[in-house]
Amino acid sequence: MADAGAAGSGDASQPAAQSWYQWGASMVTYAQQQLNSFMGWEDLEVVDPEAEKAKKGQDATATGLLEQERKQAWGTKQFQQYIGADVTSLLSVPVWIMEPFTILQKAAEIMEYTELLDAADTTEDEFDRFALVAAYCVSPFGAAERAWKPFNPILGETFELEVGSGVRYLAEQVSHHPPICAAHAQNSHFRYDLVSAPTTRFLGNSLEVYPYGRTRITLVRTNEVYTLVPPNAMVHNIVIGRTWVDAYGPMTINCHTTGAKCRLDFKPCGWFGYGRYEFEGFVYDKEGVKRVKLTGKWSQYVDAVRCDPEGAPLPDAPVKRLWTCDAKPVGDYYSFTNFAHKLNSSEGIRAPLPSDSRRRPDRANLAAGQMAAAGSEKVRLEEMQRAERRERDKRSDSWTPRWFRKVEQPKLYEGELEIEKVPFWEFTGEYLEKPQGDVAKAEDVNGKGFCPWQYADIHEKL
């Protein structure tokens, strides 16, 4: 050990560090092989599009080794019983797997590039307008690569946001079993409505995510209604290997006012990253004729060009860059975008509702790096939610969302998913009528005063 310490100084420090890293990596690999064989994980598929980069030492760190050790130590005890199941709300995971963000905040990331909808509303040409709406629907995938798990919202939890050109956004957790989030946003150019009820399927070393729900976008000037069905997503290497996210399959967008349609095909990532992030598709008129070709990488940009009925770009037609993903912070621990940091900040915002995600103490503690406190607060909130359920059952009460109402027989547009046991929720508008609060002090919001509860008095003992 003394020699190793001496070798760690001067010009020999880098080779020595690499030697120790290689030894540590080989020991972890050997331990993984033994553990996999013993626990029955040897048949799990490990797919890593950056495997070649890691082999060259470009992206291998001690933090990565620690993360893999943590995943396997926990995963071998917990994961096997859930293979093939929908684990959307079944797994109670440790906080070191999580990011200081809730699912309601994650749903709000689609509000980052609302200027695309503003531009669409003022665009005269029908197909150029549709292309901008399609680019907007791709834009949230620029933040989709984070593999950390967000906190599940408490029933009645909300998240509100003011952004862009007068956009006001509100999301509410309207159901706990099954977990359903409803959201609404609007400004002078568009209205956005979401009912999100994603399901999952655990496949051993990966998690397939099916984004069930309904997304509607209405442009104010033309009163055009667009509906969106996004592609599926896959989280790879949950137990073994480097965790990463892929999106694949068709994204379909229909304009029910004009009859125009758009289909974008997201390519699944191939070996060594071949085709990763790429998508291609077209805007079609009501007769099914191709009008605009859309290409790009969902993590970076969307390009559009006018095309002939065969899909070939028209001669001399310019290629327009409709969307470019903003640069992301380098070395961010959770791989947050700048917009995600804004969603997580309590600086310079109006005092949010007591039920707002920013007020959650577990989220605030995790953001501050206080993992033990975050874990204990998470358990406490989960027990409070269970206490609420027991009290509702005791009183024979039901839960009624504050800002959305259930529609028993909603009008479904062509192509919208009819989801069994998932009702449609519509925005009541009462949130927009309430007086807006003053700008709050961050220390009075961040992790403070969280109260989504129906029976706040019963929690004084917890």
Side-chain angles (χ1 to χ4, degrees):
M1 295 299 292
D3 291 341
S9 60
D11 295 337
S13 60
Q14 186 173 359
Q18 291 176 348
S19 176
W20 276 106
Y21 172 77
Q22 291 166 356
W23 176 85
S26 66
M27 292 303 294
V28 169
T29 301
Y30 174 77
Q32 287 178 346
Q33 292 170 348
Q34 298 302 309
L35 184 60
N36 293 344
S37 177
F38 178 73
M39 295 302 297
W41 295 106
E42 65 272 13
D43 293 328
L44 292 183
E45 181 181 26
V46 179
V47 180
D48 187 353
E50 299 186 2
E52 290 301 307
K53 184 187 294 185
K55 286 179 183 177
K56 298 173 184 176
Q58 296 176 20
D59 194 26
T61 64
T63 302
L65 290 173
L66 177 60
E67 180 186 350
Q68 291 193 34
E69 289 175 336
R70 281 175 163 178
K71 285 196 299 183
Q72 282 199 276
W74 186 78
T76 52
K77 298 176 184 178
Q78 301 288 334
F79 286 155
Q80 281 185 320
Q81 61 182 309
Y82 294 113
I83 292 177
D86 177 7
V87 295
T88 308
S89 59
L90 288 179
L91 284 171
S92 180
V93 300
V95 291
W96 55 260
I97 273 179
M98 308 185 77
E99 61 182 1
F101 221 54
T102 71
I103 289 176
L104 297 184
Q105 290 173 288
K106 206 167 186 72
E109 288 187 283
I110 198 172
M111 293 289 111
E112 181 169 4
Y113 300 98
T114 54
E115 67 272 11
L116 290 170
L117 294 183
D118 296 343
D121 188 52
T122 59
T123 298
E124 292 297 330
D125 183 86
E126 170 189 347
F127 304 111
D128 289 344
R129 193 162 59 238
F130 203 145
L132 285 164
V133 172
Y136 176 76
C137 294
V138 172
S139 68
F141 287 88
E145 292 187 85
R146 299 199 306 274
W148 303 91
K149 183 189 181 303
F151 286 93
N152 288 337
I154 300 294
L155 183 62
E157 183 174 335
T158 58
F159 182 74
E160 53 192 302
L161 177 69
E162 294 180 48
V163 71
S165 179
V167 178
R168 294 187 66 187
Y169 172 94
L170 176 71
E172 181 178 9
Q173 190 73 3
V174 295
S175 173
H176 184 58
H177 289 297
I180 303 174
C181 153
H184 175 86
Q186 68 178 67
N187 70 355
S188 60
H189 292 291
F190 71 89
R191 295 188 300 275
Y192 168 88
D193 291 283
L194 169 74
V195 178
S196 177
T199 63
T200 59
R201 187 161 66 106
F202 181 56
L203 302 175
N205 197 32
S206 60
L207 184 72
E208 197 160 16
V209 182
Y210 307 100
Y212 291 154
R214 303 182 186 99
T215 302
R216 296 177 181 178
I217 297 169
T218 303
L219 298 182
V220 172
R221 184 177 64 86
T222 61
N223 205 33
E224 291 174 344
V225 178
Y226 298 81
T227 60
L228 163 69
V229 179
N232 292 341
M234 180 82 80
V235 184
H236 292 272
N237 303 343
I238 291 177
V239 182
I240 304 169
R242 187 190 311 269
T243 305
W244 60 283
V245 178
D246 193 22
Y248 64 93
M251 170 187 281
T252 57
I253 310 166
N254 294 331
C255 179
H256 302 278
T257 310
T258 66
K261 298 182 180 181
C262 176
R263 175 181 168 125
L264 303 177
D265 289 302
F266 285 52
K267 297 180 182 179
C269 178
W271 287 101
F272 307 116
Y274 178 77
R276 190 178 185 188
Y277 308 121
E278 294 179 5
F279 71 89
E280 181 177 289
F282 299 91
V283 175
Y284 302 82
D285 64 21
K286 64 181 179 180
E287 306 298 334
V289 178
K290 296 173 181 175
R291 294 292 191 148
V292 181
K293 183 176 183 179
L294 297 168
T295 58
K297 292 189 174 184
W298 51 259
S299 62
Q300 298 178 32
Y301 64 91
V302 175
D303 284 347
V305 62
R306 286 293 187 134
C307 66
D308 63 24
E310 301 302 318
L314 294 175
D316 301 323
V319 177
K320 299 178 182 179
R321 179 65 50 91
L322 301 183
W323 167 71
T324 302
C325 187
D326 287 347
K328 300 168 185 175
V330 177
D332 189 90
Y333 184 81
Y334 292 106
S335 300
F336 273 9
T337 62
N338 289 313
F339 189 72
H341 280 293
K342 178 178 180 178
L343 297 181
N344 226 17
S345 173
S346 301
E347 293 285 348
I349 64 170
R350 299 180 190 275
L353 296 166
S355 49
D356 194 87
S357 296
R358 300 175 186 88
R359 297 184 181 274
R360 285 184 63 142
D362 50 357
R363 184 214 57 79
N365 277 296
L366 186 58
Q370 299 171 359
M371 202 164 292
S376 62
E377 288 291 349
K378 176 176 177 287
V379 170
R380 186 176 69 89
L381 290 178
E382 290 170 347
E383 178 51 41
M384 292 169 77
Q385 181 161 236
R386 285 188 283 269
E388 286 259 319
R389 176 70 178 269
R390 291 191 295 268
E391 189 68 18
R392 262 192 298 276
D393 292 343
K394 177 181 174 181
R395 302 188 189 190
S396 299
D397 287 345
S398 60
W399 170 259
T400 301
R402 295 175 174 89
W403 309 108
F404 293 82
R405 58 172 165 254
K406 185 187 298 185
V407 180
E408 297 296 342
Q409 293 183 323
K411 175 184 176 182
L412 292 179
Y413 290 105
E414 178 188 355
E416 283 193 308
L417 299 176
E418 184 152 8
I419 309 164
E420 185 179 359
K421 298 181 181 178
V422 178
F424 191 86
W425 299 84
E426 67 178 12
F427 185 58
T428 66
E430 293 179 15
Y431 169 77
L432 299 176
E433 296 171 2
K434 75 177 189 67
Q436 291 184 273
D438 296 328
V439 174
K441 295 180 179 179
E443 59 268 25
D444 294 336
V445 174
N446 187 37
K448 302 291 179 60
F450 183 60
C451 185
W453 313 117
Q454 187 174 7
Y455 312 109
D457 57 309
I458 71 170
H459 302 299
E460 295 176 0
K461 300 176 183 178
L462 297 177

